[in-house]
Amino acid sequence: MHLKREKALWVYERMVLIRKFEDKVHDLFSAGKIPGFVHLYAGEEAVAVGVCAHFRTDDFLTSTHRGHGHCIAKGVEVRGMMAELFGKATGSCKGKGGSMHIADVEKGMLGANGIVGGGAPLACGAALTARVKKTDQVTACFFGDGGASQGTFHEALNLASIWKLPVIFVCENNLYAEASPVKYTLNVENVADRAAGYGVPGVIADGMSFFDVYEKAGEAVRRARAGEGPTLIEAKTYRFYGHFEGDPVNYRPKDEEQAYRKRDPITDFKQKVLAKKLLKADDLEKIEKETQAEVDAALEFAESSPFPKLEEILTDVYVNYP
Ligand SMILES: Cc1ncc(C[n+]2csc(CCOP(=O)(O)OP(=O)(O)O)c2C)c(N)n1
Ligand SMILES: [Mg+2]
């Protein structure tokens, strides 16, 4: 699928920004600087960016506990995200949500989610809103292979199929749900096979390849905008770090990890755009420097920001809190 230069620059910038953000958070967490739980998206960049490359700011996205990559792909500012991880008042959610609750409604990012499978009904709600308001906004619902066995996913896919809602269900099959391998949790070969039970297209994408995800997502977005209903895309991917930061990762073979590291989606993209002469080495280098500077500035911003005031501890936590 053809990519214009401007878009290719954006794709590389977003993928590298995600990686640099996650690598930095990995180090910060190890150094004991970040409270709470963190699940990193490194390795899966091509999925979020491959889908969001088709999106407008007013399109919607629902996310998971592994949400940083979805946020960045949807245009959420990394300084607010970093401050949120630090629990600071300048965070995307004023420091009261943390990693698993980053949201930025202005950007169409409806929220990371600590509830596995929790995003699917919300995605139907956003898509129904677009339908009622007669806009052509599309919603992407990201979830994992573990989330694919939650009741919420099945109910949402059924509802979206009968109402032809403009949702793209994107399963990030990274082979494990915590420590459980997919072979243990699925009795079908592919999550995409489940689409047949709901009469919607079930498409498999190579989640380590931006171009493959981009192409498959392109058709799903076209269908959704045209009112033809939802698509289930299963992106076969891999997380480079453990399930959560601090995970000793003693449940998956080291040679498997190395094999996937060799298929790094960022390296893959880089090689392809250079070979196609779509971008130059200088373009890529510039982006690598700028994204590193952006992450460093985000860290400085987060560290120098204040914590929320004690008297505001309950504001913004409940909608109707006085
Ligand atoms: C409803 C619910 N059940 C269990 C958990 C605990 N939990 C958190 S992440 C996770 C595994 C999710 O696996 P998957 O959907 O494959 O996503 P991945 O972590 O691989 O990205 C589980 C079981 C939870 N947060 N919510
Ligand atoms: Mg998984």
Side-chain angles (χ1 to χ4, degrees):
M1 199 177 207
H2 187 67
L3 204 61
K4 291 203 173 107
R5 178 180 154 80
E6 279 313 298
K7 180 69 77 159
L9 287 169
W10 178 86
V11 168
Y12 192 67
E13 190 262 337
R14 288 291 114 181
M15 293 212 296
V16 174
L17 187 57
I18 296 173
R19 178 67 57 84
K20 290 198 185 292
F21 184 86
E22 296 298 60
D23 285 348
K24 177 68 84 184
V25 172
H26 173 79
D27 293 345
L28 291 166
F29 194 90
S30 314
K33 294 205 171 175
I34 294 179
F37 255 83
V38 194
H39 307 81
L40 301 182
Y41 196 73
E44 306 190 11
E45 292 88 349
V47 187
V49 178
V51 172
C52 290
H54 296 284
F55 270 17
R56 306 186 307 235
T57 305
D58 70 340
D59 287 321
F60 298 115
L61 186 161
T62 68
S63 176
T64 66
H65 52 286
R66 200 176 299 291
H68 305 166
H70 306 138
C71 291
I72 294 174
K74 197 70 183 69
V76 180
E77 300 278 338
V78 289
R79 54 191 232 142
M81 290 174 61
M82 191 66 92
E84 189 60 36
L85 296 188
F86 275 73
K88 298 295 183 77
T90 52
S92 325
C93 298
K94 302 186 187 173
K96 295 174 192 173
S99 169
M100 278 185 277
H101 299 96
I102 298 177
D104 188 343
V105 179
E106 305 274 298
K107 296 275 163 59
M109 167 62 197
L110 300 183
N113 208 313
I115 311 293
V116 172
L122 302 179
C124 287
L128 184 59
T129 305
R131 161 72 48 81
V132 170
K133 289 185 169 173
K134 294 192 171 37
T135 71
D136 65 349
Q137 289 159 291
V138 172
T139 303
C141 168
F142 289 91
F143 58 101
D145 43 285
S149 293
Q150 288 291 86
T152 46
F153 161 66
H154 292 270
E155 292 171 27
L157 187 52
N158 187 54
L159 196 69
S161 72
I162 57 169
W163 287 353
K164 287 199 185 314
L165 294 177
V167 184
I168 300 157
F169 292 92
V170 186
C171 178
E172 299 175 317
N173 183 351
N174 57 14
L175 304 182
Y176 298 88
E178 293 190 339
S180 308
V182 273
K183 291 256 175 288
Y184 184 82
T185 60
L186 288 186
N187 197 31
V188 282
E189 181 71 22
N190 307 296
V191 173
D193 298 342
R194 291 181 167 174
Y198 300 95
V200 306
V203 182
I204 295 173
D206 176 0
M208 306 309 276
S209 159
F210 165 82
F211 285 99
D212 200 46
V213 176
Y214 183 64
E215 186 179 332
K216 312 265 161 79
E219 171 56 12
V221 172
R222 188 206 59 74
R223 268 175 55 80
R225 283 211 208 283
E228 293 171 25
T231 301
L232 170 60
I233 295 176
E234 175 185 7
K236 309 269 191 191
T237 185
Y238 203 76
R239 55 170 157 76
F240 284 175
Y241 291 115
H243 170 64
F244 58 97
E245 284 312 279
D247 178 1
V249 205
N250 50 14
Y251 48 82
R252 61 181 197 188
K254 292 283 166 260
D255 55 344
E256 179 184 282
E257 291 183 1
Q258 278 155 12
Y260 276 98
R261 283 254 180 201
K262 281 200 187 125
R263 294 181 53 208
D264 189 319
I266 296 179
T267 315
D268 178 75
F269 182 81
K270 193 169 171 165
Q271 284 167 351
K272 285 178 182 153
V273 291
L274 288 175
K276 287 182 190 176
K277 299 202 186 330
L278 190 56
L279 297 180
K280 298 195 198 80
D282 285 358
D283 297 323
L284 304 177
E285 224 169 273
K286 184 165 172 268
I287 287 172
E288 285 154 21
K289 280 197 190 122
E290 284 171 358
T291 47
Q292 189 59 57
E294 196 175 341
V295 169
D296 292 345
L299 174 59
E300 215 176 295
F301 174 74
E303 284 189 315
S304 61
S305 291
F307 283 108
K309 291 199 181 80
L310 196 58
E311 40 305 0
E312 285 175 7
I313 198 162
L314 291 177
T315 52
D316 303 312
V317 176
Y318 292 101
V319 171
N320 293 326
Y321 189 80

